[in-house]
Amino acid sequence: MIKNKLLSVFVFASFAVTVSAQSPVSGFMQGKGKGNVVVSYGMEKYDKVLLVPKVVDAVPVFRNVDVSSASLYATYGITDQLDIEVSLPFITVTGNASEEVLKNLNFENERSGLQDVSAFLKFNPFDINIGSSNLKLIGALGVKTPVGDYKVDEGLQSIIAIGNRSTTVSAITLAMFKTKYGIFTTGQFGVNLASKGVPDSYISEIKLGYAASKIYGDVFISNQTSAFGTDILANGFDGFFPGTRVNTTRVGLNLYAPIYKTIGIAGGANSYIDGRNLGKATGFYGALVYKF
């Protein structure tokens, strides 16, 4: 089967949206002294918003929204059981409000900049062989904090803010079962503790994949559920969008193939199929992977 050092690139390579419901932790460990550097570019678009109690067929003020993200991700195996992962995206969000609306409200159709840097430590204390198959149990602890000077307190202009300006601490547990034929499945659950009035949330993900010597692929379904928060335009909403209750259900796929020695390419797609207080977006990404 393909070596573990090729396989942990997919979650962060597919990080190409401002609100990500996919977990930042995979079930593959790098190994001591090994790692990856990934440069990715992703795009998503939406013209419907999942509000409560119904779907709105146009984004308020901006009609439709395009999001693009150029991301840098790196991971390194400190030991065979301990990895560090770091990610930093540059986000551009573009609306399509009319010139008349922009002038009347003194708004702009674009917000862009560095968003939030994130860092995770991932520990694999249990690695058990079951016949010819393998079971891994992994725990991860991470933090995400803003590095750009983007704003989130601009009223309806903040519909196209590039993030929520919150420092978030995340704890995740994960189990991965892998067979000798390259088929694997992972299940995980995590908690996000956020600052500055952003709701805490719970995340989960189920993934099914195949890893062989020349190709990797997986499909996933992921979920985020906020612990509290208001609904956009409902009673109690004060115009502070990061304080809203964001629930998401997303499905997607990731693919990877080596192209030359230590270089490979990755790509994938994802779509929100359900949610609360977010754009009903579909996105795509591509990535260049260097492994060492």
Side-chain angles (χ1 to χ4, degrees), residues 3 31 104 158 178:
K3 294 182 179 179
N104 288 341
S158 292
K178 183 174 61 173

Side-chain angles (χ1 to χ4, degrees), residues 72 110 246 272:
L72 178 65
E110 184 176 291
V246 178
Y272 290 98

Side-chain angles (χ1 to χ4, degrees), residues 26-45:
S26 77
F28 295 94
M29 303 296 292
Q30 295 298 309
K32 184 177 180 179
K34 301 174 183 177
N36 295 286
V37 177
V38 182
V39 178
S40 66
Y41 180 79
M43 299 177 294
E44 71 171 28
K45 184 174 184 176

Side-chain angles (χ1 to χ4, degrees), residues 12 84-87 117-121 141-145 168 170:
F12 271 98
I84 184 170
E85 302 177 347
V86 181
S87 174
V117 63
S118 63
F120 273 80
L121 283 174
L141 186 65
V143 62
K144 182 182 72 171
T145 192
T168 302
S170 302

